[in-house]
Amino acid sequence: MIPPSRPALARTLGYDGRWDRAKPVEVPVETPVGLIYGGIPHAVLMATPADLADLALGFSLSEGMIASPADIRSLEIRETGQGIEIAVD
């Protein structure tokens, strides 16, 4: 699965206008996430590939695709060559 973050080096600019030393940080990664309902593509979002089941549930509720979480019979998350697909049935 695609990791939700990656290591990088970051520098910050101080109040005195000087850059500090580079420090290791974790940078969030975004990837295309396609939501598919009943085999029909509905939307593609750019998202961090973490908590994808929660993303699908929240999107489905807010877009009116379902009335309650119990309406989801199955949820399949799969990585593709272009990102991630979430199949909701």
Side-chain angles (χ1 to χ4, degrees):
M1 208 58 168
I2 300 169
S5 64
R6 64 176 175 78
L9 292 176
R11 297 177 71 188
T12 56
L13 185 62
Y15 290 112
D16 61 0
R18 295 183 187 189
W19 291 96
D20 68 357
R21 289 187 359 197
K23 299 175 190 169
V25 296
E26 288 290 315
V27 177
V29 172
E30 284 194 334
T31 190
V33 177
L35 289 144
I36 302 167
Y37 294 90
I40 300 170
H42 182 75
V44 176
L45 313 170
M46 291 301 291
T48 298
D51 303 318
L52 292 170
D54 290 338
L55 171 69
L57 175 61
F59 182 87
S60 299
L61 285 167
S62 67
E63 290 297 309
M65 303 301 286
I66 59 172
S68 79
D71 293 340
I72 295 179
R73 295 185 311 260
S74 69
L75 187 79
E76 181 184 349
I77 299 170
R78 55 185 173 256
E79 191 171 340
T80 70
Q82 299 166 334
I84 295 172
E85 289 181 347
I86 304 175
V88 181
D89 285 311

